Amino acid sequence: MYSVGMSTSERLIESTRALLWERGYVGTSPRAILERAGAGQGSMYHHFQGKPDLALAAIRRTAEEMRATAEGVLGGPGTPYERIEAYLLRERDVLRGCPIGRLTMDPDVVANEQLRAPVDATIGWLRGRLAGIVEEGKARGEFGPEVDGEEIAAAVVATVQGGYVLARASGSPAAFDAGVQGLLSLLAPRTSRASAGSRASGTPGTS
């Protein structure tokens, strides 16, 4: 399951990440962590102070990974709309859900200020990054002046996270895809809407 050269501490972190996603904090027992990591009895306490300390390391790793993945798309080429579109349409295992979103629904994580902090910070970062891209689009005339960057950012995050829930409830990614396409149609740049309207009415559009 893990590479031969991976250290025991790394195996423990990766095992905890997987178990938190699958079972939640309560279901992630020290025994289950050790079994999945292939680590000996007492290894956890040799590298970490205990389960909460290991869980924090795992949550931080998950948060860092999510941020890096999102930045890889949001910081990529294209117009502001195209970058947001790429983020919404990027490949996801929709039916498995989001590891960060899963943590927000775990009462034991939410109730613990230390465990919750990386989750809250990551979602806050994502909203801020999206809001900045929307404001960039407004400055370039891609979005209208009435568009609010923070509101659009909140809508994007809500669409993605809510889409995971709807997809898992129905057992199909169709609900996720429908939500994303609906948001993109509402967010489409003004020039695209004008062109679409002109084509529909039979009049030539302006470039």
Side-chain angles (χ1 to χ4, degrees):
M1 181 177 179
Y2 299 111
S3 62
V4 176
M6 185 179 288
S7 67
T8 300
S9 61
E10 284 295 305
R11 295 203 309 273
L12 290 169
I13 290 173
E14 290 302 315
S15 296
T16 304
R17 289 180 65 199
L19 288 166
L20 285 171
W21 194 347
E22 296 169 8
R23 307 182 186 182
Y25 186 79
V26 171
T28 302
S29 66
R31 180 177 178 179
I33 294 170
L34 292 171
E35 287 180 354
R36 179 165 295 207
Q41 193 73 22
S43 296
M44 177 188 297
Y45 298 96
H46 176 72
H47 295 281
F48 302 93
Q49 295 179 10
K51 175 183 169 179
D53 186 39
L54 176 53
L56 179 59
I59 291 170
R60 283 174 174 166
R61 177 74 58 81
T62 295
E64 290 166 1
E65 185 178 275
M66 177 180 172
R67 185 178 299 201
T69 300
E71 180 57 33
V73 179
L74 297 174
T79 66
Y81 174 83
E82 288 170 344
R83 284 146 58 199
I84 293 173
E85 179 184 45
Y87 172 74
L88 286 168
L89 295 177
R90 75 173 182 81
E91 186 175 351
R92 294 176 169 89
D93 188 349
V94 175
L95 294 181
R96 192 179 181 199
C98 170
I100 288 293
R102 173 73 174 83
L103 292 169
T104 65
M105 295 184 286
D106 191 319
D108 296 281
V109 172
V110 173
N112 186 306
E113 186 175 348
Q114 280 192 314
L115 297 180
R116 186 180 70 247
V119 178
D120 186 39
T122 300
I123 294 174
W125 171 85
L126 180 59
R127 289 181 59 168
R129 189 72 174 90
L130 289 163
I133 293 172
V134 173
E135 293 302 321
E136 179 187 337
K138 287 172 62 177
R140 295 172 54 170
E142 189 174 12
F143 303 128
E146 75 283 356
V147 173
D148 185 282
E150 292 186 2
E151 290 180 354
I152 295 299
V156 170
V157 174
T159 297
V160 171
Q161 294 301 326
Y164 281 124
V165 173
L166 293 175
R168 286 170 63 85
S170 64
S172 168
F176 183 98
D177 296 339
V180 165
Q181 291 300 331
L183 180 59
L184 287 173
S185 67
L186 294 173
L187 191 58
R190 292 184 299 170
T191 53
S192 297
R193 294 177 185 173
S195 297
S198 298
R199 289 193 297 271
S201 63
T203 56
T206 58
S207 59

